[in-house]
């Protein structure tokens, strides 16, 4: 794919086909001038109503104090009070630290595992490639609720499969995966890792296929070893894919909501160890009825996401 | 001479060993990915008592029928399944239509504020979804759409991902000459879109359609916030309500989860190559 | 031949004007998108009453419908039943946006606090309700639970949950523990637990948290809430919290609790297998245990008052009218409330059929209370619970009670599991709870 096609402007179209100028167009046909607006129209309407407006409203709400069951007109302007509250709220900071931990613990292994697996499949596996890649990818397409329900059962303290397996090997106390703060986080991280590692395998595999083979041949002739080739050819070529994948992991990790929500049954777990920021602000709104603070927190989190995404770009983007 | 031969031999052996270790590791990885699904289907066929016995069951049981019976008793399962199908299909149709139209507009035409608009739309891809949960709920309520399926399939039709994919695909797949030739023949712009662009977009449409269907089928937060009556729930939410009452029917819950997962697995088996290729095209080539 | 379109007699193409088309399409889209204005018209003949409820009170309501229809033949009643938590979320939502409001809703006592600070529920002390005239007919604390700081009554109680101590008589006998040992004081309760554990291996109670839950409800001063006082000052640094935490710690240190979460499978199995010997719960638990939780243990349990003369409430259902629901249906809704809560037949009927303990005092002389309960080995447990109901004191509710409860539980967990000092834990809880007091 080379450069994008030059777009057709209204005047160009007229210039190219002079005969159209004098031709009468039937009323129902779209003229070139109106075409973009009509084509874009439905999308734009939906976008403004369901994308832009809620966004702006959430910004507005962040500056209000609002007891929801008293109705919409009960909002009171409170300036930065919600933000101030959020910034001194212990639970908010706890949720941020939970989110950070989970994003790292689930995100980093995804890429550390996906890259070697992709390289291996690319280099060595021809016959069953689709099957193998498919197997890795399947967790990604299934519903979070389904997976979390399944994992809740598998990790149940007294009756879960994991503990039964462990009992066969090791004769200690059964581990209380979902109830103790120390183990909730790794369980959630494991779930997220399991879910997304396949997507990254696919991503890197596709990227690997665009690296020209003669680069490797030339390197082999020059006497470069396997890991040297990996370090000096593969990794740099993978850079755009890594940037894309890591960006998605950063954004996704910071937004974690569904997995912790289901695994802790909507409560956040002991010591709120499983409560990510997205989860917390959902609770702020729907459990603690504080919509103003919830909106303020969501904007604070957005700031964090934006900064980290920018930082990712700086670290991994093209150095031109 | 001898020891070089030995060295080469052991080199080859160690290489083979390395290769075999890698094969095994990757293979085990694949198994780990799939094992939970195996247990999902095994659990779906076990009764609640068996699921809570020690040791837990490892092979298929014969309680599937009983589980399904409980399932349809406790929640309006078939209705929920129906809603999931309906919403997913409607979502896919609308998304394909609106995003292909919008993508065509961005790709083939110039108009004022085009660059800025596209930047804003792309910017929302960066924004976390939770930011708009609450205001979205209020918009839905203002429109009177609470508890109605249209609250689920209409908003998603304006997804940034869809429009991005469509725009890329139009740019890549539609030759400019074709468009111009059509114009010279007197084709109206909408006809150009409908009769020329769309057919050529089929692969991308396939990918977007699949991705949208899957996302809609699995959507949990949307219905959680917007749906109120159990009669109107889609599957993920319906299954959750099986989980929260005081008395969780685990066997039925597993059966329901398995049934909810099955269509996607089938869809995926049929279309995996398409989906994977389409989804990563944008990442690699941008 | 122009663009393939047929031309009319004047040479112009046939077909609707494009602008008209768009206008029509836009109009159609708009009318489909916006809520229909053609709502059903309330005819004089038939009125429509919507009641939002959750299991099991929805069964009680449905059972009462024939009686209500007989009194009000022109009222069509619709009962919308949702799962417990979803129902309350839906009610919050409906109250927030004043749309999809039912004419009448049931509420669990825990959620009353959340609505207490708002103005979403109708004040039933006002005419035409004048609920204060009925105050003395209800169990004192239940009626007061629904009264907010300004004296407005926001809901009417229909059933209550008196806290009680359920214990396994067989396990106690085996350990040589008497009921007096269990109930004379908290210390003797814990001491009895040690003996039971040694003799039978059974735990004293499901979770150390339970002891905390009861003890913090003792010694509440009038006007105080559980976590906040009338001025929204946090009350964590009081003696009852200290004692509660100490007792819980003692239970955990001596391994007397099963560390299970209520309503989890492990918890249920604990009862079925006789691994848990006592529990402090609402009296309604006896019904659950009997019906599906642990029916094989029928006859082995007994009921006693809570240790050290403690009386606590656990659960309770109320009826409320949303302030912004349809005004013409409010009197009808009020009639329904009166029927369900003030009628002896209805209250006793729900009691006998569905175990809903009445909030109406005049039912308390019914012989049903003296009947032996098979699950309790023939003990007439309802007499105990009736006694307890009379003695429970009302506790003021606060909007942040839900949050405060979680904070206290978190701090308790840290004391029990991570060896945090009780003073530090209570101080942290106090600080956190205070910071939210006025939101």
């Amino acid at each position: 794919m080379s450069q994008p096609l030059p777009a057709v402007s209204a005047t160009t179209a007229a210039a190219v086909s002079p005969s159209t100028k004098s031709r009468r167009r039937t009323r129902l046909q779209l003229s070139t001038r109106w075409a973009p607006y009509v084509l874009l129209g439905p999308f734009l309407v939906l976008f403004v109503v369901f994308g832009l407006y809620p966004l702006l409203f959430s910004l507005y709400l962040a500056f209000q104090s609002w007891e929801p069951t008293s109705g919409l007109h009960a909002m009171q302007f409170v300036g930065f009070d919600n933000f101030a509250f959020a910034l001194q709220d212990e639970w908010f900071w706890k949720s941020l630290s939970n989110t950070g931990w989970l994003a790292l613990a689930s995100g980093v292994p995804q890429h550390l595992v996906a890259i070697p697996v992709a390289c291996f499949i690319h280099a060595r596996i021809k016959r069953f490639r689709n099957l193998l890649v498919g197997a890795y990818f399947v967790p990604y397409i299934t519903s979070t609720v389904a997976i979390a329900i399944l994992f809740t059962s598998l990790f149940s303290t007294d009756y879960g499969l994991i503990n039964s397996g462990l009992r066969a090997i090791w004769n200690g106390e059964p581990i209380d995966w979902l109830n103790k703060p120390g183990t909730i986080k790794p369980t959630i991280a494991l779930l997220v890792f399991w879910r997304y590692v396949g997507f990254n395998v696919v991503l890197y595999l596709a990227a690997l296929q665009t690296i020209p083979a003669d680069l490797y041949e030339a390197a082999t002739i020059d006497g470069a070893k396997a890991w040297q080739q990996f370090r000096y050819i593969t990794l740099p070529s993978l850079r755009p894919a890594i940037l894309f994948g890591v960006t998605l992991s950063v954004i996704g990790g910071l937004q974690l909501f569904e997995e912790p929500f289901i695994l802790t049954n909507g409560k956040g777990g002991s010591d709120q160890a499983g409560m990510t920021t997205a989860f917390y602000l959902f609770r702020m709104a729907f459990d603690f009825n504080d919509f103003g603070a919830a909106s303020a927190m969501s904007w604070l989190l957005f700031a964090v996401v934006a900064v980290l995404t920018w930082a990712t770009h700086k670290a991994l983007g093209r150095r031109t | 001479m001898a020891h070089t031969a030995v060295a080469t031999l052991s080199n080859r052996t160690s290489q083979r060993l390395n290769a075999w270790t890698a094969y095994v590791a990757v293979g085990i990885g694949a198994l780990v990915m799939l094992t939970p699904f195996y247990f999902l289907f095994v659990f779906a066929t076990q009764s609640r008592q068996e699921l809570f016995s020690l040791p837990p069951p490892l092979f298929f049981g014969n309680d599937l029928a009983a589980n399904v019976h409980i399932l349809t008793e406790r929640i309006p399962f078939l209705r929920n399944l129906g809603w999931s199908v309906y919403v997913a299909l409607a979502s896919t149709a609308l998304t394909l239509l609106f995003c292909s139209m919008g993508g065509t507009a961005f790709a083939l035409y110039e108009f004022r504020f085009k660059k800025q608009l596209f930047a804003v739309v792309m910017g929302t891809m960066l924004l976390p979804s939770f930011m708009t949960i609450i205001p979205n709920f209020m918009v839905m309520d203002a429109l009177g759409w609470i508890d109605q399926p249209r609250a689920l399939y209409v908003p998603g039709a304006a997804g940034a991902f869809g429009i991005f994919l469509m725009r890329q695909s139009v740019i890549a797949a539609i030759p400019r000459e074709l468009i111009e030739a059509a114009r010279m023949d007197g084709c109206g712009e909408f006809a150009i879109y409908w009769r020329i662009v769309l057919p050529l977009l089929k692969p991308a449409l396939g990918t977007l359609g699949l991705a949208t269907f899957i996302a809609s089928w699995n959507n949990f937060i949307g219905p959680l916030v917007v749906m109120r009556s159990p009669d109107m729930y889609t599957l993920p939410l319906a299954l959750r309500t099986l989980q929260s009452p005081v008395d969780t029917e685990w066997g039925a819950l597993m059966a329901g989860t398995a049934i909810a997962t099955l269509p996607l697995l089938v869809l995926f088996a049929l279309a995996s190559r398409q989906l994977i290729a389409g989804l990563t095209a944008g990442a690699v080539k941008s | 031949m122009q663009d393939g379109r047929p031309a009319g007699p004047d040479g112009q193409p046939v077909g609707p004007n494009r602008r008209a088309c768009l206008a029509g399409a836009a109009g159609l889209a708009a009318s489909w998108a916006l809520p229909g204005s053609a709502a059903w018209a309330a005819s004089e003949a038939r009125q429509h009453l919507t009641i939002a409820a959750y299991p099991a009170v929805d069964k009680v309501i449905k059972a009462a419908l024939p009686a209500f229809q007989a009194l009000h033949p022109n009222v069509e009643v619709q009962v919308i039943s949702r799962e417990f938590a979803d129902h309350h979320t839906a009610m919050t939502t409906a109250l927030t946006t004043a749309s999809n409001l039912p004419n009448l809703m049931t509420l669990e006592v825990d959620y009353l606090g959340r609505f207490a600070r708002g103005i979403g529920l109708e004040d039933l002390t006002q005419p035409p309700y004048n609920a204060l005239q009925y105050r003395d007919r209800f169990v004192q604390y239940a009626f007061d639970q629904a009264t907010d700081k300004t004296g407005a009554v926001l809901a009417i109680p229909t059933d209550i949950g008196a806290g009680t101590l359920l214990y396994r008589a067989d396990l106690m006998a085996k350990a040589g523990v008497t009921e007096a040992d269990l109930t004379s004081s908290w210390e003797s309760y814990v001491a009895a637990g040690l003996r039971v554990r040694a003799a039978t291996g059974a735990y004293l109670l499901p979770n150390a948290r339970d002891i905390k839950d009861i003890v913090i409800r003792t010694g509440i001063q009038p006007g105080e809430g559980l976590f906040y006082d009338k001025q929204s000052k946090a009350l964590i640094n009081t003696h009852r919290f200290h004692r509660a935490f100490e007792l819980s710690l003692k239970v955990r240190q001596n391994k007397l609790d099963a560390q299970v979460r209520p309503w989890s499978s492990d918890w249920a199995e604990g009862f079925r297998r006789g691994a848990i010997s006592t529990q402090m719960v609402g009296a309604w638990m006896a019904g659950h245990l009997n019906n599906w939780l642990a029916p094989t243990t029928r006859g082995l349990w007994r009921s006693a008052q809570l240790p050290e003369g403690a009386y606590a409430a656990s659960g309770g259902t109320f009826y409320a009218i949303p302030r912004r629901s349809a005004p013409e249906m409010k009197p009808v809704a009020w009639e329904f409330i009166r029927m369900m809560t003030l009628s002896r037949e209805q209250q006793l009927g729900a009691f006998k059929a569905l175990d809903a303990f009445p909030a109406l005092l005049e039912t308390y002389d019914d012989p049903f209370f003296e009947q032996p309960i098979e699950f309790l080995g023939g003990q007439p447990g309802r007499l105990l619970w009736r006694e307890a109901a009379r003695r429970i004191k009302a506790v003021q509710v606060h909007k942040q009670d839900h949050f405060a409860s979680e904070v206290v539980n978190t701090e308790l967990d840290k004391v029990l599991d991570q060896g945090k000092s009780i003073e530090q834990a209570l101080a942290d809880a106090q600080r956190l709870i205070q910071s939210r007091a006025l939101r």
Side-chain angles (χ1 to χ4, degrees):
Chain A
M1 189 188 77
S2 47
Q3 304 109 342
L5 290 171
V8 181
S9 76
T11 42
T12 323
V16 157
S17 38
S19 49
T20 48
K21 236 185 174 173
S22 51
R23 179 142 9 128
R24 268 178 321 183
R25 290 183 164 261
T26 45
R27 297 302 194 106
L28 254 180
Q29 281 190 331
L30 215 48
S31 73
T32 325
R33 185 154 155 251
W34 290 110
Y37 299 110
V38 172
L39 286 176
L40 202 51
F43 177 87
L44 219 49
V45 166
L46 288 183
F47 178 72
V48 167
V49 172
F50 297 108
L52 212 52
Y53 173 73
L55 208 66
L56 295 174
F57 187 84
S58 126
L59 187 57
Y60 171 72
L61 199 50
F63 294 96
Q64 311 286 327
S65 159
W66 189 35
E67 201 289 300
T69 59
S70 306
L72 281 170
H73 48 270
M75 281 192 235
Q76 277 182 317
F77 180 73
V78 286
F80 283 96
D81 184 58
N82 287 325
F83 290 95
F85 169 75
L87 289 172
Q88 61 83 51
D89 180 19
E90 292 175 32
W91 276 24
F92 179 65
W93 288 107
K94 193 194 285 193
S95 76
L96 276 179
S97 117
N98 288 341
T99 308
W101 193 99
L102 280 173
L104 277 177
S106 63
V108 170
Q110 278 177 40
H111 297 275
L112 287 183
V113 168
I115 297 184
V117 169
C119 286
F120 183 74
I121 295 182
H122 176 69
R124 298 301 185 106
I125 307 221
K126 307 285 175 211
R127 230 184 326 161
F128 294 112
R129 181 179 289 194
N130 269 329
L131 205 61
L132 199 57
V133 173
Y136 276 91
F137 197 68
V138 163
Y140 178 70
I141 65 163
T142 43
S143 129
T144 328
V145 174
I147 297 308
I149 291 177
L150 184 61
F151 271 58
T152 310
S153 154
L154 290 175
F155 280 90
S156 154
T157 314
D158 287 332
Y159 306 100
L161 217 60
I162 307 275
N163 273 349
S164 305
L166 282 178
R167 209 170 291 140
I169 309 173
W170 163 54
N171 206 13
E173 285 263 323
I175 303 181
D176 202 357
W177 296 103
L178 297 175
N179 285 339
K180 292 279 184 267
T183 47
I184 293 181
K185 286 221 239 319
T187 312
I188 299 178
L190 183 66
L191 174 54
V192 176
F193 167 79
W194 175 81
R195 205 152 182 254
Y196 293 102
V197 68
F199 177 82
N200 288 302
V201 167
V202 165
L203 175 69
Y204 291 126
L205 196 55
L208 283 170
Q209 283 164 349
T210 65
I211 305 178
D214 24 342
L215 276 180
Y216 291 105
E217 284 172 18
T220 321
I221 293 175
D222 283 348
K225 294 207 189 58
W227 68 267
Q228 279 174 323
Q229 294 184 20
F230 178 75
R231 191 165 155 218
Y232 294 109
I233 304 179
T234 315
L235 274 187
S237 313
L238 277 182
R239 208 202 200 112
I242 296 182
L243 172 62
F244 184 68
V246 170
T247 306
L248 285 183
S249 290
V250 166
I251 298 178
L254 291 172
Q255 293 182 37
L256 271 177
F257 170 73
E258 293 190 13
E259 287 90 348
F261 185 83
I262 306 274
L263 276 179
T264 59
N265 208 19
K267 288 287 171 244
S270 187
D271 197 16
Q272 294 77 43
M275 194 168 71
T276 58
T277 307
F279 188 177
Y280 180 45
L281 74 92
F282 181 85
R283 295 202 69 195
M284 274 305 273
F286 289 101
D287 266 352
F288 304 135
N289 287 2
D290 197 342
F291 275 53
S295 296
M297 286 178 191
S298 67
W299 282 98
L300 286 173
L301 185 56
F302 164 67
V304 173
V305 174
V307 164
L308 283 178
T309 309
W310 175 84
T312 310
H313 229 274
K314 268 276 165 174
L316 293 175
R318 234 172 255 292
R319 291 196 185 137
T320 38
Chain B
M1 191 70 135
H3 70 256
T4 357
V6 168
T8 330
L9 202 62
S10 67
N11 225 353
R12 279 233 309 273
T13 326
S14 74
Q15 268 184 7
R16 274 233 191 86
L17 213 62
N18 276 340
W20 273 111
T21 331
Y23 274 111
V24 167
V26 170
I28 289 185
L31 277 181
V32 167
M33 292 292 127
L34 291 178
T35 310
F37 291 102
Y38 168 73
F39 281 111
L40 176 61
F41 288 103
V42 163
F43 287 170
T45 60
Q46 302 284 354
S47 76
R48 195 168 136 210
Q49 286 80 355
E50 281 156 24
L51 281 175
F52 278 97
S53 54
L54 289 169
L58 292 178
F59 300 107
F60 291 96
N62 45 20
D63 288 290
L64 184 57
N67 281 340
V68 172
H69 178 73
I70 300 177
L71 191 62
T72 47
E73 242 185 4
R74 289 270 182 134
I75 55 173
F77 187 70
L78 288 175
R79 267 189 81 102
N80 297 134
L81 183 60
W83 282 125
S84 273
V85 173
Y86 172 70
V87 169
L89 287 176
S91 179
T92 307
L94 265 188
T95 305
L96 287 180
L97 184 64
F98 289 172
C99 285
S100 60
M101 282 166 64
T104 310
F106 274 117
L108 292 185
Y109 301 94
E110 275 300 334
F111 46 92
R112 233 187 321 169
F113 299 127
K114 171 171 143 167
K115 277 212 175 67
Q116 292 86 335
L117 194 56
F118 195 70
V120 169
V121 172
M122 286 302 107
T124 61
M125 250 198 329
L126 175 65
L127 283 164
S129 60
F130 59 79
M131 301 204 62
T132 53
I133 291 179
I134 299 143
N136 244 321
F137 159 71
M138 300 177 66
V139 169
M140 289 305 166
D141 187 71
L143 286 173
W145 285 11
I146 296 283
D147 224 18
Q148 294 193 42
R150 66 186 72 159
L152 295 177
Y153 61 73
V154 171
F161 173 73
I163 242 200
F164 174 74
L165 195 63
M166 287 292 111
R167 176 176 170 273
Q168 293 286 90
S169 311
V170 171
I171 290 175
I174 318 286
R176 184 171 173 270
E177 301 76 46
L178 202 56
I179 309 279
E180 307 220 340
R183 282 213 181 90
M184 278 201 274
D185 281 347
C187 211
E189 298 304 315
F190 194 81
I192 290 181
Y193 159 75
W194 192 258
R195 282 190 242 153
I196 299 178
V197 175
L198 269 192
L200 285 174
L201 272 185
K202 275 215 182 80
L205 286 175
T207 306
L208 183 58
L210 269 171
T212 309
F213 189 89
I214 293 174
S216 168
W217 187 269
N218 290 336
N219 190 9
F220 167 67
I221 301 184
L224 178 68
V225 172
V226 155
M227 290 313 201
R228 291 293 158 223
S229 350
D231 257 2
M232 304 301 294
Y233 287 173
T234 52
L235 279 178
L237 199 52
L239 289 176
R240 170 179 129 85
T241 56
L242 259 188
Q243 196 188 17
S244 47
V246 143
D247 188 13
T248 307
E249 276 291 341
W250 281 102
L253 182 59
M254 288 297 149
T257 308
I259 298 178
T261 315
L262 212 48
L264 287 185
L265 291 178
V266 168
L267 203 61
F268 180 71
L270 294 175
S272 61
R273 206 174 305 178
Q274 164 91 42
L275 181 61
I276 295 175
L279 277 179
T280 53
V284 173
K285 292 181 179 166
S286 59
Chain C
M1 190 24 196
Q2 300 237 6
D3 308 280
R5 290 193 172 269
D10 58 351
Q12 290 288 348
V14 174
N17 178 293
R18 179 186 24 164
R19 237 167 254 160
C21 248
L22 283 175
L28 264 174
S31 67
W32 172 84
L34 298 171
S37 56
W40 59 274
S43 62
E44 291 97 311
R46 260 176 116 61
Q47 291 182 301
H48 192 89
L49 183 74
T50 318
I51 308 181
Y54 52 87
V57 67
D58 62 342
K59 284 213 195 87
V60 174
I61 294 175
K62 286 183 184 154
L65 283 185
F68 188 72
Q69 301 281 195
L71 290 173
H72 303 267
N74 63 330
V75 176
E76 197 182 296
V77 181
Q78 185 196 12
V79 180
I80 303 178
S81 179
R82 298 182 180 94
E83 185 264 337
F84 181 77
D86 290 344
H87 161 84
H88 288 94
T89 313
M91 290 304 104
T92 312
T93 310
L95 286 170
T96 305
T97 52
S99 73
N100 287 317
L101 273 174
N103 301 113
L104 180 62
M105 61 168 75
T106 56
L107 288 173
E108 172 79 355
V109 64
D110 284 336
Y111 288 84
L112 266 186
R114 275 186 243 189
F115 303 151
R117 264 182 125 204
I119 48 173
L121 298 175
E122 188 88 344
D123 178 8
L124 299 170
T125 58
Q126 302 300 315
Y129 317 107
N130 300 314
L132 282 177
Q133 63 182 301
Y134 303 118
R135 185 168 181 267
D136 296 331
R137 295 174 65 179
F138 288 101
V139 172
Q140 184 95 334
Y141 82 89
F143 196 87
D144 289 342
Q145 270 177 325
T147 310
D148 78 358
K149 286 188 286 199
T150 66
V153 171
L154 300 172
I156 305 289
T158 181
D159 67 59
I160 62 174
T164 185
L165 176 71
L166 292 174
Y167 66 92
R168 284 279 296 261
D170 57 328
L171 295 174
M172 295 302 145
K174 206 163 164 200
V177 168
T178 66
E179 189 177 292
D181 290 333
L182 285 173
T183 60
S184 59
S185 75
W186 288 109
E187 282 74 25
S188 73
Y189 177 65
V190 174
L194 287 164
R195 283 157 60 193
V196 171
R197 185 107 168 97
T200 67
Y203 293 106
L204 178 61
L205 72 176
N207 202 309
R209 197 185 272 193
D210 303 342
I211 240 192
K212 178 266 294 174
D213 284 336
I214 304 291
V215 176
I216 62 175
R217 283 168 167 79
T218 62
I220 298 183
Q221 304 305 314
E224 269 181 10
L226 194 53
F227 302 102
Y228 296 95
D229 69 7
K230 258 205 161 102
Q231 284 79 35
S232 291
K233 208 161 72 84
L235 293 170
I236 313 303
N237 259 324
T238 48
H239 175 69
R240 53 189 166 99
F241 279 90
H242 270 277
R243 194 165 180 220
F245 271 53
E246 278 159 14
L247 285 164
S248 299
L249 185 58
K250 194 152 177 222
V251 162
R252 180 60 63 88
Q253 280 171 338
N254 287 307
K255 299 204 194 326
L256 294 178
D257 73 319
Q259 300 193 38
V260 289
R261 275 190 308 181
W263 306 112
S264 72
S265 326
D266 304 340
W267 174 87
E269 283 302 309
F271 294 125
R272 288 183 195 124
R273 301 185 190 194
I276 302 177
S277 63
T278 76
Q279 50 175 325
M280 295 180 283
V281 282
W284 40 262
M285 184 63 83
H288 282 292
L289 284 165
N290 184 44
N291 293 335
W292 60 272
L293 252 184
T296 49
T297 60
R298 222 171 261 159
L300 300 173
W301 295 87
R302 301 287 180 275
S303 175
Q305 301 291 10
L306 294 169
E308 218 177 272
Y311 294 100
S314 168
T317 315
F318 292 75
Y319 287 104
I321 301 180
R323 201 171 50 83
R324 284 184 293 162
S325 60
E328 69 274 6
M329 294 309 294
K330 285 187 193 174
V332 185
W334 177 241
E335 284 308 305
F336 193 87
I337 297 181
R338 278 169 31 104
M339 187 186 85
M340 297 307 291
T341 62
L342 292 173
S343 136
R344 201 191 150 97
E345 296 84 57
Q346 288 299 333
Q347 288 271 302
L348 280 173
F351 192 23
K352 291 178 187 167
L354 295 157
D355 228 0
F357 206 95
L360 185 65
L361 281 173
E362 60 211 47
T363 58
Y364 283 19
D365 59 8
D366 193 272
F368 184 62
F369 282 86
E370 281 142 33
Q371 273 188 18
I373 301 180
E374 189 204 324
F375 183 78
L376 298 176
Q379 179 192 12
R382 297 186 187 96
L383 289 174
L384 272 174
W385 305 334
R386 183 178 68 184
E387 179 67 22
R390 286 189 179 127
R391 297 216 185 176
I392 299 172
K393 293 212 181 62
V395 175
Q396 198 67 31
V397 289
H398 188 281
K399 185 187 177 195
Q400 298 294 344
D401 277 348
H402 195 64
F403 173 73
S405 168
E406 273 199 51
V407 171
V408 170
N409 281 337
T410 305
E411 289 302 325
L412 182 65
D413 282 344
K414 288 191 192 156
V415 168
L416 296 177
D417 294 333
Q418 299 164 29
K420 188 171 181 182
S421 86
I422 295 184
E423 289 73 36
Q424 186 60 46
L426 290 177
D428 286 345
Q430 169 87 1
R431 190 185 63 242
L432 198 50
I433 291 175
Q434 186 65 56
S435 75
R436 292 259 211 176
L438 296 171
R439 287 205 64 82

